[in-house]
Amino acid sequence: MSRIYNFSAGPSMLPLEVLEQCAAEMTDYKGSGMSVMEMSHRSPVYDAIIKETEADFRKLMNIPDNYKVLFLQGGASTQFAAVPLNLMKTGKADYVVSGQFSKKAFKEAQKYGDAKCIASSEDRTFAYIPEITPDMVREDADYVHVCYNNTIFGTKYPEVPNVGDKVLVADMSSCITSEPVDVTKFGCIYAGAQKNMAPAGLTVVIIREDLLGTEKEFTPVMLNYKEMAENDSMYNTPPCYAIYVAGLVYKWALKNGGLEAMKKRNEEKAAILYDYIDSSKLFKATADKKCRSMMNVCFVTGDADLDKKFCKEAEAAGLSNLKGHRSVGGMRASIYNAMPKEGVEALVAFMKKFEAENA
Ligand SMILES: *Cc1c(COP(=O)(O)O)cnc(C)c1O
């Protein structure tokens, strides 16, 4: 068997142990005589899977009892509409635009009410996180929306933004479960699962119970948080297999020390890469130091042809998917929970060799 180090931004690497368990259980899940893919979502055997997945996720993220966990579909992008539909109670919401996804979320919200961009970092190609203070938030805004880790630009909020007593909503698609977060500081957290938790197809929403029930009248039932909560994410067929894999990933994370341990590993991995880049004469990190992401490390040589050569030679060396997003260029190494430290060390060794050969 040969596995590459896959630096894809998403879908991305899953822990090998989890993939092996999926393979072992593929045709006969725990003596049921079927694959999880083949089961009725209303069967007792599947009911146990989804309940255990939720319980493990709650344990892993330390989610308080007054929050609901929803297992939905449609990707994080569907939440760009679901958030304003459910939470724009009086019709006003404030958005921080710190990258492409938060810009998309802002644009979508404008369709449903008075959405205002209160801060942006577009002036410097989203290389930093704009500062937010409570006085920037409109008095009557229903919520403030942020994207906590900007997957494309490799930036992350250094701390939870202070929005005073306003409801904070965060897109955590590319950093969820990478480190502990204080869920109580947020009214709503959502994330596409395909970066750090599961295969594509599953979107997780964590929502404070008192925020349910203020959806606009015309909200499609599939986007209605209250409806989904009341039906335990089973209004219709949920993404059954992705939920099962997410459950295995949560067990893997718990077994490996939970989110404190994930944070320690992730900090260590990111430091190996950033420390080398900062010492390099060839490579340069694109994000400002104080808001660098631990998950998505963006860097350039400053020469587009050389960047291309780097990605090509890296690919041949088993270091895959390092090409940066088309809007930034250069390189991006996504090093989520499942990327082992050895993968980052192999990347740095390759970069050193490349630098020596191309100086
Ligand atoms: C990937 C990503 C999205 C889009 O996710 P989809 O599931 O493809 O809709 C949104 N926000 C962030 C932060 C992302 O990383």
Side-chain angles (χ1 to χ4, degrees):
M1 183 186 70
S2 76
R3 296 259 306 159
I4 55 164
Y5 289 122
N6 176 11
F7 294 91
S8 167
S12 38
M13 282 182 84
L14 288 165
L16 181 58
E17 258 176 78
V18 167
L19 295 176
E20 284 170 342
Q21 189 171 346
C22 291
E25 293 177 340
M26 181 56 74
T27 55
D28 177 11
Y29 176 78
K30 293 189 176 167
S32 66
M34 4 168 215
S35 168
V36 176
M37 289 186 195
E38 301 170 300
M39 289 173 184
S40 163
H41 58 292
R42 312 247 178 231
S43 63
V45 56
Y46 190 76
D47 191 56
I49 293 174
I50 193 168
K51 287 219 164 79
E52 208 170 319
T53 299
E54 179 177 338
D56 284 336
F57 184 54
R58 285 182 171 278
K59 194 160 144 198
L60 186 64
M61 286 210 39
N62 196 21
I63 300 171
D65 288 344
N66 64 324
Y67 284 75
K68 292 282 186 194
V69 170
L70 311 178
F71 296 121
L72 309 178
Q73 308 195 45
S77 303
T78 297
Q79 297 310 311
F80 298 166
V83 165
L85 282 166
N86 285 277
L87 304 179
M88 250 188 190
K89 194 163 55 175
T90 65
K92 278 190 183 181
D94 288 354
Y95 277 71
V96 179
V97 174
S98 58
Q100 195 160 298
F101 291 118
S102 51
K103 195 172 173 179
K104 283 182 173 169
F106 170 53
K107 279 196 172 156
E108 192 76 351
Q110 284 175 304
K111 293 180 189 168
Y112 301 110
D114 173 7
K116 184 187 171 197
C117 169
I118 57 165
S120 166
S121 52
E122 198 165 13
D123 60 329
R124 283 179 41 226
T125 327
F126 301 118
Y128 67 104
I129 297 286
E131 193 144 349
I132 301 144
T133 51
D135 60 292
M136 294 163 74
V137 180
R138 286 182 292 180
E139 197 58 46
D140 50 356
D142 292 318
Y143 62 85
V144 180
H145 179 281
V146 298
C147 178
Y148 213 61
N149 183 82
N150 296 280
T151 324
I152 295 174
F153 303 92
T155 61
K156 196 203 113 178
Y157 281 78
E159 61 216 17
V160 180
N162 181 3
V163 296
D165 59 358
K166 290 289 177 298
V167 172
L168 185 58
V169 177
D171 176 357
M172 290 199 184
S173 294
S174 51
C175 60
I176 194 156
T177 71
S178 65
E179 63 179 338
V181 288
D182 181 355
V183 173
T184 64
K185 291 196 168 155
F186 299 85
C188 175
I189 293 170
Y190 65 89
Q194 71 272 24
K195 277 133 193 176
N196 218 5
M197 305 196 291
L202 167 65
T203 309
V204 174
V205 173
I206 303 166
I207 175 107
R208 216 173 64 209
E209 265 169 2
D210 64 286
L211 297 173
L212 296 172
T214 57
E215 69 282 346
K216 293 186 188 299
E217 217 177 309
F218 56 85
T219 303
V221 64
M222 285 298 293
L223 300 187
N224 184 330
Y225 291 157
K226 184 162 181 265
E227 195 84 43
M228 287 297 155
E230 281 171 358
N231 286 282
D232 296 320
S233 303
M234 292 246 200
Y235 174 83
N236 73 331
T237 317
C240 300
Y241 197 76
I243 291 168
Y244 153 74
V245 181
L248 299 181
V249 171
Y250 301 149
K251 281 199 192 306
W252 170 85
L254 286 165
K255 198 179 83 182
N256 285 284
L259 297 193
E260 283 297 345
M262 291 296 133
K263 180 183 184 183
K264 193 163 167 283
R265 282 163 44 117
N266 290 327
E267 280 176 343
E268 213 181 313
K269 285 172 350 194
I272 293 171
L273 195 43
Y274 283 123
D275 286 350
Y276 164 65
I277 293 170
D278 289 340
S279 73
S280 163
K281 289 199 172 53
L282 182 65
F283 299 105
K284 188 179 163 294
T286 56
D288 285 6
K289 223 169 203 171
K290 67 173 194 297
C291 43
R292 282 173 173 176
S293 168
M294 288 199 294
M295 299 279 94
N296 312 99
V297 178
C298 297
F299 56 98
V300 294
T301 64
D303 172 344
D305 289 334
L306 201 55
D307 288 348
K308 216 168 157 186
K309 184 175 179 225
F310 176 86
C311 293
K312 196 173 162 217
E313 290 179 12
E315 192 80 43
L319 305 164
S320 198
N321 290 313
L322 282 160
K323 191 171 174 298
H325 190 271
R326 58 191 181 279
S327 58
V328 195
M331 280 70 73
R332 169 177 52 175
S334 295
I335 49 174
Y336 300 116
N337 286 355
M339 172 61 70
K341 187 174 151 190
E342 292 74 26
V344 178
E345 287 168 342
L347 173 59
V348 168
F350 178 82
M351 288 169 79
K352 283 181 179 167
K353 183 170 152 281
F354 188 86
E355 179 166 1
E357 288 168 0
N358 293 274

